[in-house]
Amino acid sequence: MKIRVDIQKQYESPEVHIMCREETEEVRELQERLEEMFLRKLTVYSESETRNISIADVVRIYAASKKVFVRTAGDTFEVRERLYTLEEELKESGFVRISNSEIVNTSSIEKLDMGLVGTIKMHMRNGDVTYV
């Protein structure tokens, strides 16, 4: 499989084209995963608004102060679902639980630093740092 990214100013939003000789199980699975990742929305809340965001934009989801929060590249939102429910719903979309109170989007992980005491410091692409 080849992957090519074509960046041009004429595109208003990203498009994904799958080009192949024949439709195979691998191609169908790839299409389903892409649709789930980019077309699936998550309802989030802030102080002034309710909106739907793509799960592809989610960097991490964590529990704090008896609430569940979603972090994107630049914003933090609250969600009404429980963390374990979101974990189950998103596990096929590349999300993994890293602690009792947090799940992360594995595609948003920038690097991992191994600590001296056995903890792993996880750097996310949006600048957040969390621990495994």
Side-chain angles (χ1 to χ4, degrees):
M1 178 183 312
K2 295 179 183 178
I3 298 175
R4 187 181 81 185
V5 178
D6 181 19
I7 299 174
Q8 296 182 22
K9 292 183 184 211
Q10 69 194 37
Y11 298 122
E12 291 182 24
S13 64
E15 294 180 17
V16 176
H17 298 265
I18 301 173
M19 295 178 270
C20 54
R21 184 173 297 195
E22 62 185 47
E23 186 174 349
T24 63
E25 183 62 32
E26 180 183 41
V27 170
R28 282 190 293 278
E29 184 177 317
L30 179 60
Q31 180 182 2
E32 288 172 9
R33 290 180 139 241
L34 285 168
E35 287 174 348
E36 181 178 316
M37 185 73 154
F38 292 100
L39 300 180
R40 180 150 184 256
K41 303 289 184 187
L42 186 62
T43 302
V44 297
Y45 306 88
S46 67
E47 292 179 8
S48 60
E49 65 183 357
T50 299
R51 70 163 91 159
N52 291 318
I53 61 171
S54 170
I55 62 168
D57 294 334
V58 175
V59 173
R60 57 192 272 257
I61 304 170
Y62 63 95
S65 304
K66 298 184 180 184
K67 296 180 180 182
V68 178
F69 298 94
V70 171
R71 281 284 289 154
T72 62
D75 295 308
T76 302
F77 301 100
E78 187 177 339
V79 291
R80 298 204 172 130
E81 291 89 352
R82 299 205 179 263
L83 193 62
Y84 67 85
T85 304
L86 291 169
E87 176 189 16
E88 187 64 31
E89 290 176 9
L90 299 175
K91 68 181 178 183
E92 297 296 323
S93 300
F95 286 78
V96 64
R97 184 179 284 262
I98 61 165
S99 69
N100 286 338
S101 61
E102 187 168 1
I103 59 179
V104 298
N105 184 343
T106 56
S107 65
S108 294
I109 299 171
E110 185 172 274
K111 69 178 181 175
L112 302 172
D113 288 337
M114 306 303 274
L116 296 174
V117 292
T119 58
I120 300 171
K121 189 175 185 181
M122 184 178 289
H123 298 264
M124 308 304 286
R125 294 195 192 284
N126 71 339
D128 284 3
V129 174
T130 189
Y131 295 87
V132 179

